[in-house]
Amino acid sequence: MDDAVTADAARAATGLIPQPRDTRPQDGAFLLGPDTVLDAGPGTETTAAWLRGTVGAATGLPLPPGTGGGRNRAETGGDGTDRDGSGAIRLRVDADTADALGPEGYRLTAGHTGVTLLGGGAAGTFWGAQTLRQLLGPDAHRRAPLRPGHHWSVPAVRIEDAPRFAWRGMMLDVARHFLPKDGVLRYLDLLAAHKLNVLHLHLTDDQGWRIEIERYPRLTEAGAWRERTKLGHRASPLWDDRPHGGYYTQDDLREIVAYAAARHISVVPEIDIPGHSQAAIAAYPELGNTDVIDTNSLKVWDTWGVNPNVLAPTDNALRFYEGVLEEVLALFPSRFVHIGGDECPKDQWRASPYAQARIKELGVGDEDGLQSWFIRHFDRWLADRGRRLIGWDEILEGGLAPGAAVSSWRGYAGGIAAAQAGHDVVMCPEQQVYLDHRQHDGPDEPVPIGYVRTLEDVYRFEPVPPQLTPEQAAHVLGTQANVWTEVMETPQRLDYQVFPRLAAFAEVAWSELPPPAERDHAGFTRRMAAHYRRLDALGVDYRPPGGPLPWQRRPGLLGRPIEGSPPNV
């Protein structure tokens, strides 16, 4: 075998992201060729299809079905490696692996005559296939072969791996700036490449309604479009006077969900209530507090911030959103449904005679109790249909519904309180893992928002607070990086903010890492050298280590940088 091929393969074994639990390089490599077969056992069919569609496309190899291993030593090079690259990639769902590593764990063994990939379940086999693609080198992430006759090799290695957390997610805000369906499918591939398994889709907000609801057509006819858009932070004087909008048809969403499922990713929909609702009120004015403001005058909001226009606490609003959620449940099989619950100003309820009478009628005490009444209603409604409510940590205000889970975004405090009370938690504190926050304090950073959160900062993020006992920590389902798109008006801007930091976040979510101060950031940086080449092959417009490229800058657009270190709250 060519020494350069062997050396490239050996480097690939030590450059994996996220870092596997146990990696043991061996001598030699497996050389793939036109006769290399893909031997897919029961339960691995979707992984086999994915390998043919990605690795097969990048290498130009057909990877036909078969069992392999049919040659004798006289037909090989004396070291057990077929000169023409035959042998097999074997995929299996394996009970022993499931017992030892769980359904998302896998064992990958590569030797001279092939690769054996044992998954604890179908998902484990798929995550192992992602590792296999990384082992083949950065060009295995391209969509077509670069050089005919290139020798593709997998280093001889034994890997045992499993995720730390069951919920490894990214929240994508498509309400502020709409990302067309093909962009969502692309991001599902990027999540899969990093072994992330939850896409939280923020589908509704003041600035746009992005999901077709057949019984309420004006939600997309009127609510999916705004007349203009604020450029930069809300204090900026600049506007983009082009109308902005778009939405996903129900067939689009069925396609997104099916595409995600084939990659073992759950799509969690978010329908925001009772705040962040101006787009819905603009479409159906009766949903708002009509005794306080003229809701007929409201339009889809064209700027950013916390909006005062919230849902009225009426039975009509409850019935309306039950109708919305009936169609949402038919589209999304996710166990969890996110209902927002954050940033709900209560000024209109304080000023509304109807809302005040409702507080007395329901016996909920005050406006916080009224918000809790909204949340508890939909907690019961979803539970009756076999689903679970999850919301931002404001749903703790006024008392948390018994079965609800919490996305802890304002810091750790909400998640700590929820876990201590026995509620499940997804940790996504804005001070650590909001990827809209700036990556550097330099003057060329585009539309700088929030605290500086570097690649190293994200790598040292710890999802489980030390205040929790082991029993309480078991309620931390996992972690999520949130991507709010107020200042991300194009896919390129989205890529710049998300990458490369999502790679560091993925390692935090997947790998068993030491405490933050003890993590090997230098080693991670070395592995990122290979990973940047993978991102290049995938066409990701990431922020380079040396700072933004000229076309990534946004001179003249006002941001809102916050100086100093973020509080640990």
Side-chain angles (χ1 to χ4, degrees), residues 112-124:
H112 294 297
T113 58
V115 176
T116 297
L117 175 52
L118 305 178

Side-chain angles (χ1 to χ4, degrees), residues 12 17 23 26 91 97 255 260 264 270 284 331 337 343-344 399 539 567:
I17 290 179
T23 303
Q26 312 288 315
L91 310 177
T97 303
E255 180 183 357
H264 299 277
E270 181 181 354
Y284 291 92
L331 294 168
V337 175
E343 295 181 328
C344 179

Side-chain angles (χ1 to χ4, degrees), residues 116-411:
T116 297
L117 175 52
L118 305 178
T125 309
F126 182 74
W127 302 131
Q130 295 291 342
T131 297
L132 175 60
R133 181 164 69 157
Q134 289 197 15
L135 290 170
L136 283 163
D139 288 342
H141 294 72
R142 296 187 180 274
R143 297 188 182 185
L146 301 184
R147 293 173 291 277
H150 175 71
H151 293 295
W152 293 93
S153 62
V154 178
V157 66
R158 295 179 184 273
I159 295 174
E160 185 170 284
D161 200 10
R164 179 184 179 190
F165 293 110
W167 185 303
R168 308 180 302 280
M170 187 185 92
M171 191 286 304
L172 179 59
D173 168 22
V174 295
R176 273 52 177 270
H177 278 103
F178 179 64
L179 184 66
K181 179 196 69 178
D182 284 354
V184 177
L185 299 179
R186 173 176 174 262
Y187 257 81
L188 286 167
D189 280 329
L190 292 173
L191 295 187
H194 292 83
K195 298 186 176 72
L196 298 173
N197 67 347
V198 175
L199 175 64
H200 169 177
L201 266 186
H202 183 78
L203 289 163
T204 73
D205 215 297
D206 302 303
Q207 296 85 1
W209 185 282
R210 306 296 179 215
I211 173 174
E212 178 189 27
I213 302 296
E214 292 177 348
R215 73 186 69 186
Y216 302 128
R218 282 190 56 78
L219 286 172
T220 45
E221 290 171 359
W225 305 92
R226 58 179 181 260
E227 293 179 352
R228 62 177 187 169
T229 298
K230 176 67 70 174
L231 284 174
H233 183 257
R234 61 180 175 272
S236 166
L238 302 178
W239 296 88
D240 182 342
D241 288 322
R242 297 173 297 175
H244 177 84
Y247 65 92
Y248 308 108
T249 68
Q250 295 201 359
D251 280 346
D252 289 338
L253 291 166
R254 291 184 183 98
E255 180 183 357
I256 287 169
V257 168
Y259 195 86
R263 287 149 182 78
H264 299 277
I265 296 172
S266 175
V267 183
V268 175
E270 181 181 354
I271 305 296
D272 223 327
I273 57 173
H276 287 288
S277 297
Q278 183 161 320
I281 297 169
Y284 291 92
E286 66 272 18
L287 293 173
N289 293 281
T290 57
D291 59 344
V292 176
I293 61 165
D294 176 14
T295 55
N296 288 294
S297 68
L298 293 179
K299 298 179 180 180
V300 178
W301 213 26
D302 55 13
T303 189
W304 322 121
V306 179
N307 189 300
N309 297 305
V310 303
L311 298 177
T314 63
D315 289 337
N316 175 62
L318 296 183
R319 300 291 90 76
F320 183 95
Y321 276 87
E322 287 174 359
V324 168
L325 288 170
E326 283 176 4
E327 296 191 29
V328 168
L329 297 191
L331 294 168
F332 295 91
S334 165
R335 182 185 178 198
F336 287 94
V337 175
H338 208 291
I339 51 73
D342 63 315
E343 295 181 328
C344 179
K346 303 186 174 59
D347 295 341
Q348 290 184 357
W349 290 348
R350 293 187 186 98
S352 164
Y354 178 84
Q356 291 302 308
R358 193 70 159 154
I359 289 171
K360 293 178 182 178
E361 174 194 342
L362 296 170
V364 295
D366 59 13
E367 291 78 20
D368 284 346
L370 201 56
Q371 174 164 326
S372 180
W373 168 78
F374 263 104
I375 304 304
R376 287 174 180 269
H377 174 85
F378 285 103
D379 178 71
R380 291 190 299 270
W381 190 90
L382 288 167
D384 288 345
R385 289 154 182 81
R387 307 296 183 94
R388 286 190 66 188
L389 180 148
I390 187 169
W392 303 111
D393 55 54
E394 285 95 329
I395 68 174
L396 291 162
E397 297 168 5
L400 186 58
V406 170
S407 299
S408 187
W409 76 273
R410 290 181 294 181

Side-chain angles (χ1 to χ4, degrees), residues 430-564:
E430 65 168 325
Q431 300 86 353
Q432 280 75 33
V433 289
Y434 267 34
L435 299 186
D436 48 311
H437 284 205
R438 58 190 174 137
Q439 303 182 63
H440 194 272
D441 61 2
D444 291 329
E445 206 63 27
V447 201
I449 300 293
Y451 295 101
V452 172
R453 291 288 84 193
T454 65
L455 184 66
E456 180 175 356
D457 291 329
V458 175
Y459 188 65
R460 296 193 189 280
F461 164 60
E462 173 50 48
V464 179
Q467 297 95 318
L468 298 181
T469 67
E471 182 181 2
Q472 294 163 351
H475 285 290
V476 178
L477 300 175
T479 184
Q480 180 172 286
N482 291 340
V483 185
W484 301 103
T485 62
E486 287 94 336
V487 297
M488 300 179 216
E489 72 280 10
T490 65
Q492 291 75 26
R493 280 286 294 121
L494 180 64
D495 278 6
Y496 180 92
Q497 290 300 132
V498 171
F499 289 99
R501 292 182 295 181
L502 194 72
F505 173 80
E507 183 146 310
V508 169
W510 177 277
S511 305
E512 294 282 353
L513 298 176
E518 299 173 20
R519 291 178 188 171
D520 182 9
H521 178 255
F524 175 75
T525 300
R526 287 192 295 272
R527 286 184 286 122
M528 278 300 299
H531 201 66
Y532 285 120
R533 293 178 60 202
R534 297 181 194 119
L535 296 178
D536 287 333
L538 290 165
V540 177
D541 199 13
Y542 58 86
R543 182 190 189 278
L549 298 168
W551 58 86
Q552 294 174 321
R553 300 167 188 164
R554 300 288 280 144
L557 281 190
L558 183 68
R560 183 177 175 267
I562 304 174
E563 301 303 330

